[in-house]
Structures are given as structure tokens and as C-alpha cells.
Amino acid sequence: KCNYPMNKKNIWIFNQYAGDSTSGWGERSFYLAEEFQKQNYDVTIFSGSQNHLFTNNKNINSSYEIRFDNNVRFVWIKTLKYYKSNGIKRVISWFIFIIKIFMVSKTNLPKPDYIIVSSMPMLPIFCAQYYKKKYQSKKLIFEVRDIWPLTLTEIGGKSRFNPFVILLSSIERYSYNKSDLIISVLKNCNLHIKKVTNNKFNFLWIPNGIKEKLTTGQVNVDIHSLLKLIPNDKFLIFYAGSLNKTNAMSYVVKAANMLKTNEKIHFVFVGEGDQKEYLKSISNSHNLTFIPKVPKHQLKLLISKASCYIISWKNSKIYNYGVSPNKYADYMLQGKPIIVATNSKCDIVEEANCGLIARAQDHLSIVDKITELLNFSEEKRKILGLNGLKYAQKNLLYEKLSLKYLKALES
């Protein structure tokens, strides 16, 4: 049985999609854990070995393996291999994950003072509730990264009377009711929670952030060959992120098609997703370049070539509760302006005054905002970019977000 320093407080994080420095996705829990440990906390992250989001899944030979990354302890649970985000195998993997959590020997793990469940998925709330009672933990924290099942009904088009949606709704309500603190990356998520539960709850907004100095993994791509694909003499409009239905990038492609006669402009999409081939098929101009996903620690060099950045969201009321993609912080730290197509009432680009807002799912509006930004003076675009940089350095660095998180745990 291992003995751990008595002066350290221990945090367990249940997050099936938590990535480490080499996973290529989902590093929020890892980055927070690195900062927690600087404040004399010991952190254990329970994550799944396989999912549809990692660039590099883990090869696990046994039911689970304990590994360390920059002194952060990962308990990698061997889960089902799957590739589709909307397939039954994804749901099965959720149940495999929580069953195997109970099978992990806790003898050599420090007993948790605080337990964090980061959703989606929400099922580990049952593990957390059990271990909170068993180890007399001080607090159970439920972290909302995406609002489920509202995402299924608003974005996925499922009926709220669908049996699976009803099941998830009951788990969501249970999670809110059993938590001592609810943290969300979505600024107005508390307004949604009030519709779900009549119980009083403690809520705190802690957005996704960024690390100025990344823990670099071992996986690299030939970044210089990719840079050669990008023209140097254009006004470059970059998007770096997932190419799926949530990010309504088809409207940006339509905007690019409309602007194909403007030889000053060139679009660059960096990333992968189930919509990538469709987006390529509807592009009818030579002013759009698709580049494969690159590791996060190499992304900075690639997107530094941009003149501005663009993000497009669906026209859905779910975004009134907020959005917090990692790419916002990535873009802001580059000190360049951002164009966002959204109906959100709390978009941080507008809050930071670092870009222009177009209407969601409206390619004509996107064209107007691109043209408007292009007609700005270089100095005016620079001021917008610096506004974003200052905002990110003040509000979005994990070094600062982690202190806010720990203060909430201890209060």
C-alpha cells in the first residue's frame, strides 16, 4: 500500500475523454491537473483508452493501466474501439468505462478529497457519488462541457420523448442534484440548470483556456510541407478545429465560393471531421485549402500565418447558454481579429471586442463581415487582435483558471 504526503490534497477526475500531451484532443483536465499540482495537489485522471476524438488512442493490454504524463497520474481504462460519434458502440463504451472504474484497485491511489466528474458522458456521476461516501470526500464537482441531452435534441434533431433522451435527462437532473458545485465552460449554463432542477445549486463559470507553453508530446507532422500549401501574398482566413455539423462550416465554404473572384482572399481549414469530404465537394473555387489536423503544439506555427480567424455555429438556442471552444483561446493568443457567425448572446469575441459578429447560418452575412474586415485599416485590425490577446492573457490562461477552480473547491 502506497503512502502519500499528508500535506497534499488529492483530486480525482472522472473524464472518459480526457487526453494527455500526446492524445491530440481533450487536454482541459490534463492542463488543469498540471496547474493543480503546482499548488500542492495530487491529481488522478480516470480516462478511456479509445474514443472518436483522439488523434492517438491508447493501446492498453489489461483492463486498465496507470501511466504518468508530466507527473499527472492517468488511470487509462480499456474501452471499446469505435469511430462514429453517433453509433451504439459509443454508448456501450460509456457503460464499460464506469464498470471498469469500479474494478480498478484503489489500494495504490491516494484517497480523494475532491472528486470531479467532467461530462460528457455523465454516467461516472454514479462512481463519484459512491466514492465520495466511501472516502468521505469533501466535495463532488460536476463539470459541464456540453449540455446533454439538450445537444441531442437541438443539434442532433432527436425528440425529447426519445427513450434515450429521457434516460439522459434523468441522469442530468441526478448529477445536478448530487453535486456540491457545478462548474461549466458555458457562461450562461446556470440558466439551463434552473430549468432542469428545482434544487438550489452552486455554479461557477470557468471557460476552456490555453497554455502559453505546451507540454509537447512525441507525435509530429511535417509542418513545413504543410506551410508550403498556404499562399504568402493573400489575406488568409483560417479555421482550425473539427469539421462536423456542430461547426456549421458549409456557410463559410459558400462565402468562399462567393468571394472566389477576390484574388486578395484565401481560406484555410485545418482539421478533420465527418463533414470534411462534404465541404470539399461543395467548394467550387481555388481560394480554399484543406489541411489535415496537426498536433496542438505545432498548431501555433501554422495558424500564425493567418490574417484573421473564422468560426461558424449553427443557429440554435443552445448557444444562448454560451460557447467555449479551445480555438477561441488559440486564436486570441495570436493577436489577430476573429469573425464569428453566431446567434449567441454571450460570445467572448464580442465581450473582448476582438472581431466581428456575423449571423449564424448566413453566408451573405459572413461575406459582409469578411469584406468589412478586409476594408479596415491595418491599424484597426491590429487593435482588434490586441484586444483578444489581452483578454486571453487576463482570462483564459490555465495558470489563472486553475486558481479560480481551486478557490471554489476550498470555499
Side-chain angles (χ1 to χ4, degrees):
K1 184 175 182 178
C2 291
N3 294 316
Y4 291 87
M6 295 300 292
N7 61 332
K8 278 195 173 185
K9 292 183 180 178
N10 304 310
I11 299 174
W12 284 7
I13 301 175
F14 294 120
N15 179 357
Q16 188 173 343
Y17 301 145
D20 63 8
S21 65
T22 65
S23 298
W25 192 90
E27 301 93 347
R28 173 182 169 88
S29 293
F30 173 59
Y31 291 157
L32 285 170
E34 286 184 308
E35 298 300 329
F36 291 164
Q37 297 203 148
K38 293 176 185 177
Q39 303 301 321
N40 207 33
Y41 287 77
D42 186 282
V43 185
T44 302
I45 299 175
F46 295 77
S47 184
S49 64
Q50 305 279 333
N51 64 53
H52 63 292
L53 297 165
F54 285 175
T55 303
N56 303 293
N57 285 297
K58 302 298 177 186
N59 293 317
I60 303 298
N61 295 320
S62 55
S63 182
Y64 68 92
E65 289 184 16
I66 297 177
R67 301 179 185 176
F68 287 83
D69 189 343
N70 198 26
N71 296 319
V72 176
R73 183 187 302 101
F74 274 84
V75 180
W76 290 106
I77 308 289
K78 188 173 184 178
T79 50
L80 192 65
K81 185 180 291 187
Y82 69 95
Y83 302 100
K84 294 183 178 180
S85 62
N86 59 350
I88 186 63
K89 284 187 176 181
R90 183 185 183 187
V91 178
I92 294 172
S93 77
W94 297 348
F95 289 92
I96 291 173
F97 183 69
I98 65 166
I99 291 169
K100 288 190 174 181
I101 284 175
F102 288 115
M103 295 168 61
V104 172
S105 172
K106 311 303 186 298
T107 304
N108 294 321
L109 296 178
K111 303 306 179 270
D113 297 290
Y114 304 98
I115 302 177
I116 300 170
V117 176
S118 187
S119 78
M120 263 300 276
M122 298 180 286
L123 291 181
I125 190 69
F126 300 109
C127 306
Q129 181 69 5
Y130 170 79
Y131 288 119
K132 182 192 176 187
K133 291 180 179 179
K134 180 176 180 178
Y135 297 123
Q136 296 297 299
S137 303
K138 296 177 182 178
K139 281 185 180 178
L140 193 166
I141 300 90
F142 188 66
E143 183 181 76
V144 181
R145 302 194 316 275
D146 292 305
I147 303 175
W148 278 60
L150 191 63
T151 298
L152 271 183
T153 56
E154 288 295 314
I155 304 298
K158 300 292 184 184
S159 167
R160 62 190 179 94
F161 300 110
N162 180 295
F164 184 56
V165 171
I166 293 172
L167 172 63
L168 290 179
S169 296
S170 64
I171 298 173
E172 180 191 22
R173 187 177 301 106
Y174 178 88
S175 300
Y176 296 151
N177 290 339
K178 294 298 181 180
S179 300
D180 301 298
L181 171 66
I182 301 171
I183 289 176
S184 181
V185 302
L186 309 173
K187 191 171 185 178
N188 290 343
C189 185
N190 58 313
L191 301 180
H192 167 75
I193 298 169
K194 286 179 181 178
K195 297 178 181 179
V196 176
T197 178
N198 294 322
N199 292 7
K200 290 184 178 180
F201 58 90
N202 296 313
F203 176 82
L204 182 64
W205 171 54
I206 300 183
N208 280 319
I210 194 165
K211 290 188 63 167
E212 286 190 295
K213 295 182 180 179
L214 288 176
T215 304
T216 58
Q218 301 302 309
V219 181
N220 292 281
V221 298
D222 185 358
I223 198 75
H224 296 290
S225 66
L226 296 178
L227 288 169
K228 291 177 182 178
L229 301 174
I230 303 170
N232 293 316
D233 57 345
K234 305 285 187 180
F235 185 82
L236 296 173
I237 303 171
F238 264 70
Y239 171 81
S242 299
L243 297 171
N244 54 36
K245 290 182 179 179
T246 304
N247 305 111
M249 295 305 293
S250 62
Y251 296 90
V252 180
V253 175
K254 291 176 183 177
N257 290 340
M258 289 190 66
L259 291 165
K260 64 183 178 181
T261 58
N262 190 327
E263 295 183 356
K264 296 179 181 179
I265 296 173
H266 194 87
F267 294 78
V268 181
F269 288 4
V270 184
E272 303 294 336
D274 56 18
Q275 292 289 294
K276 186 171 184 176
E277 293 307 314
Y278 168 70
L279 296 175
K280 285 182 177 181
S281 72
I282 64 171
S283 174
N284 62 14
S285 67
H286 298 290
N287 66 348
L288 171 56
T289 298
F290 286 86
I291 290 178
K293 183 178 181 178
V294 301
K296 198 171 184 68
H297 64 275
Q298 291 184 295
L299 182 64
K300 183 177 180 181
L301 177 61
L302 199 62
I303 67 174
S304 67
K305 300 296 182 182
S307 305
C308 77
Y309 303 99
I310 194 161
I311 302 172
S312 178
W313 299 104
K314 276 195 165 186
N315 184 14
S316 171
K317 66 180 182 181
I318 195 172
Y319 297 126
N320 287 329
Y321 299 120
V323 293
S324 188
N326 292 311
K327 47 187 163 282
Y328 273 37
D330 291 331
Y331 295 168
M332 286 179 170
L333 275 185
Q334 293 298 316
K336 308 282 180 66
I338 304 169
I339 295 172
V340 183
T342 182
N343 66 343
S344 175
K345 298 175 182 177
C346 55
D347 196 284
I348 63 171
V349 169
E350 189 169 26
E351 182 180 332
N353 188 28
C354 64
L356 300 177
I357 306 297
R359 291 186 297 274
Q361 294 188 220
D362 187 337
H363 62 283
L364 295 177
S365 179
I366 293 172
V367 168
D368 287 344
K369 295 304 175 182
I370 290 172
T371 305
E372 182 179 346
L373 187 64
L374 185 62
N375 290 332
F376 281 176
S377 67
E378 187 67 33
E379 183 63 24
K380 189 169 183 179
R381 289 197 296 265
K382 187 176 181 181
I383 289 171
L384 288 175
L386 287 176
N387 287 344
L389 176 61
K390 291 175 183 176
Y391 182 93
Q393 290 176 331
K394 182 180 180 181
N395 300 290
L396 300 179
L397 295 180
Y398 274 115
E399 181 181 358
K400 296 183 178 181
L401 295 175
S402 63
L403 295 178
K404 186 177 179 181
Y405 214 119
L406 293 176
K407 184 179 179 181
L409 262 60
E410 296 285 2
S411 65

